[in-house]
Amino acid sequence: MMRSLRRLVHLVLFCPMSKGLQSRLPAIKVKYLFLAWLGIFVGSWAVYMHYSSYSELCRGHVCQMIICDHYRRGIISGSSCKALCEENTLILQHCLSSTPTHQVYSGAWKEKPVIIKCGIEETLRGDGSPDSVPRKEMTLFDKPTRGTSMDEFREMLHSFLRSNLGEQPSLGSLVGRVISLADVNQDGKVSLAEAKSVWALLQVNEFLLMVALQEKEHTPRLLGFCGDLYVTEQVAHSSLYRLEVPRYLQPLVPSALHSSVNQWLAPAWPRRAKITIGLLEFVEEVFHGSYGSFFMCDASPRHIGYNSKYDCKMADLRSVASEMSVRGFLKGRRCEHNSDCTYGKDCTATCDKLVKQCNTEVVQPNLAKVCHLLLDFLLFGAPPDLREDLQKQLRTCVTLSGLASQMEVHHSLVLNNLKTLLWKKISNTKYS
């Protein structure tokens, strides 16, 4: 055996190559050198883009510095302030930010995983260049003013919520929930710092929705806040798909490859069905809920997550807007095309070209957007006996219109049919 091995090594090392191979060797060398150079170039570019975008997007230390400065000066308060600024038990760990002005970090609080979110406003110098260190304008915490009574603050809250959510019969209970949240030390009183903090937080659309939808099981739990920084439970999987290609690499990665890898990494079909049922329940919850209707203005898989039990959790609510906000944006808006009548990414209304103004009815409802997303997420790997019916129902769902004449009965019928179809398949199994 050893003798045969030695002979093989001798042949490889000392025997001359064939003339054909010798003539091709320079070309082979050039080819592989070029590929190696290309690989090094692309790798270096990816590393550079990653770190340059990281330094631009991730400013958690700035956010913490500003918040703690305001806290120590007595301007703000909150249930998380002491942990963040004194005890150092609320720790920012990994940056998840997608924009510099909205800082998102995974972290730990009392040794439990959490998500920490904070806004940073960039102020401009006189020459138009951004400050080297972004800072919060004091106007963020200018309300309520000193001397505001509890009744006046309650009226401020009621008026603000009415302007954002519309005239709802249950607004009074929501005002009570906000005041209870603001009363950090549970002494039955709201200090000026507590009031300033909760007022600033309510200006953050996601926080307002989290408070309004806090009783819903598909909304992450709010754990605490400090000024306009707030802490939520961490969703185990913050996106429907596990592979997220950075924006700067997307032109280099074929969409078919990206889709195939995500399908390979996706949970088993029954678990995807369970996630889908939860997502449909969320759509149901925000359609004529206790505090009005809400629109999903970017039904992206990046905003929809699920926990370790495969229960759907909305990982990012920033793109969800109240009907009142969307209609207020569209009302009287000048337009030339339908695209001029778009709130967020895809809450689009029609443009009345005679008067050149936007109509206020959003064309595509939440359910149609979600079903379009489910065509990719749910159909692959579906049981053969279910696939045809499921595909048919999803196709019907995608064509739903947001017009008032269709919204009530048809919308509910399609949604319930989908839920029933999926639930029948996974009920009484280990996946239910």
Side-chain angles (χ1 to χ4, degrees):
M1 179 70 181
M2 290 300 296
R3 183 179 295 176
S4 300
L5 185 61
R6 280 197 300 270
R7 289 183 65 186
L8 179 62
V9 171
H10 179 82
L11 285 169
V12 170
L13 292 177
F14 300 107
C15 289
M17 298 178 187
S18 67
K19 290 184 178 179
L21 184 59
Q22 287 179 26
S23 63
R24 289 173 56 199
L25 190 58
I28 292 172
K29 282 184 177 179
V30 170
K31 176 183 174 182
Y32 283 103
L33 279 172
F34 173 75
L35 289 175
W37 174 85
L38 184 63
I40 292 169
F41 173 77
V42 171
S44 303
W45 177 73
V47 169
Y48 168 76
M49 290 297 292
H50 173 75
Y51 282 103
S52 62
S53 62
Y54 185 92
S55 61
E56 180 185 345
L57 292 176
C58 302
R59 303 179 182 181
H61 62 290
V62 176
C63 190
Q64 184 172 357
M65 178 186 71
I66 295 168
I67 288 291
C68 290
D69 176 62
H70 281 62
Y71 169 64
R72 293 185 185 106
R73 289 159 60 192
I75 298 170
I76 61 173
S77 182
S79 55
S80 306
C81 290
K82 196 171 182 180
L84 180 71
C85 303
E86 294 178 8
E87 300 171 344
N88 293 321
T89 53
L90 176 57
I91 304 166
L92 283 70
Q93 292 176 333
H94 303 296
C95 177
L96 306 172
S97 307
S98 57
T99 63
T101 55
H102 185 73
Q103 295 296 295
V104 182
Y105 276 75
S106 63
W109 189 13
K110 300 172 185 175
E111 299 182 351
K112 292 183 179 179
V114 294
I115 294 293
I116 303 157
K117 300 186 179 184
C118 173
I120 293 181
E121 293 179 359
E122 290 195 1
T123 56
L124 297 180
R125 292 199 188 103
D127 59 1
S129 60
D131 289 337
S132 57
V133 179
R135 61 183 178 84
K136 289 284 181 76
E137 288 287 359
M138 289 299 294
T139 53
L140 183 64
F141 301 110
D142 67 343
K143 291 182 181 179
T145 55
R146 189 174 297 279
T148 302
S149 69
M150 196 62 208
D151 287 339
E152 288 171 333
F153 182 53
R154 194 182 295 272
E155 182 54 40
M156 275 177 65
L157 290 174
H158 194 278
S159 177
F160 174 81
L161 294 172
R162 184 174 62 245
S163 67
N164 280 272
L165 303 177
E167 190 64 70
Q168 308 295 335
S170 51
L171 275 188
S173 64
L174 186 57
V175 170
R177 186 184 299 177
V178 172
I179 289 174
S180 177
L181 184 70
D183 184 13
V184 175
N185 54 9
Q186 300 296 309
D187 62 353
K189 301 174 184 177
V190 177
S191 69
L192 184 61
E194 289 170 341
K196 283 178 181 288
S197 297
V198 82
W199 182 261
L201 279 168
L202 288 174
Q203 314 309 309
V204 181
N205 179 61
E206 183 178 46
F207 182 86
L208 173 59
L209 291 173
M210 288 187 74
V211 174
L213 302 173
Q214 195 60 53
E215 296 172 350
K216 310 301 182 184
E217 62 177 299
H218 305 299
T219 306
R221 285 183 300 114
L222 181 66
L223 302 178
F225 67 93
C226 181
D228 69 333
L229 175 148
Y230 55 104
V231 185
T232 71
E233 68 171 320
Q234 188 174 93
V235 179
H237 303 278
S238 59
S239 173
L240 278 185
Y241 297 116
R242 297 187 182 182
L243 177 64
E244 191 72 34
V245 179
R247 193 170 297 174
Y248 53 84
L249 285 179
Q250 286 175 3
L252 303 176
V253 180
S255 58
L257 175 63
H258 183 207
S259 178
S260 298
V261 173
N262 268 321
Q263 288 183 6
W264 182 66
L265 293 172
W269 187 87
R271 286 178 172 151
R272 280 183 279 131
K274 185 180 180 183
I275 295 166
T276 299
I277 290 170
L279 179 55
L280 293 172
E281 286 173 351
F282 176 78
V283 171
E284 203 169 16
E285 288 166 358
V286 298
F287 180 64
H288 291 332
S290 304
Y291 304 112
S293 297
F294 298 88
F295 291 115
M296 297 170 70
C297 292
D298 183 6
S300 164
R302 294 190 303 274
H303 300 155
I304 303 161
Y306 55 94
N307 61 18
S308 57
K309 296 180 180 178
Y310 299 93
D311 298 316
C312 176
K313 291 280 186 180
M314 296 301 295
D316 190 341
L317 288 168
R318 281 181 296 160
S319 61
V320 179
S322 68
E323 182 181 20
M324 193 77 174
S325 298
V326 176
R327 287 184 181 274
F329 172 83
L330 294 171
K331 188 176 181 180
R333 188 175 183 83
R334 301 289 294 173
C335 64
E336 295 288 339
H337 309 283
N338 288 352
S339 58
D340 298 327
C341 304
T342 302
Y343 181 96
K345 184 179 178 182
D346 56 16
C347 281
T348 303
T350 55
C351 175
D352 188 332
K353 294 183 179 178
L354 288 176
V355 295
K356 295 188 181 299
Q357 283 192 354
C358 296
N359 294 312
T360 57
E361 282 193 343
V362 174
V363 174
Q364 193 179 32
N366 296 334
L367 185 57
K369 295 176 187 178
V370 165
C371 286
H372 190 272
L373 185 152
L374 292 175
L375 284 170
D376 289 330
F377 180 70
L378 195 60
L379 274 182
F380 75 90
D385 61 327
L386 185 76
R387 183 180 173 84
E388 186 177 346
D389 198 9
L390 180 60
Q391 187 171 22
K392 182 180 177 182
Q393 291 207 28
L394 287 174
R395 297 287 183 196
T396 302
C397 177
V398 167
T399 62
L400 282 174
S401 165
L403 300 176
S405 57
Q406 280 198 21
M407 282 296 281
E408 296 294 338
V409 178
H410 198 191
H411 185 281
S412 298
L413 184 64
V414 171
L415 190 147
N416 287 327
N417 284 346
L418 263 173
K419 280 175 59 180
T420 303
L421 181 69
L422 295 172
W423 189 247
K424 277 183 178 178
K425 194 65 183 176
I426 66 168
S427 60
N428 300 320
T429 68
K430 65 178 182 179
Y431 300 105
S432 60

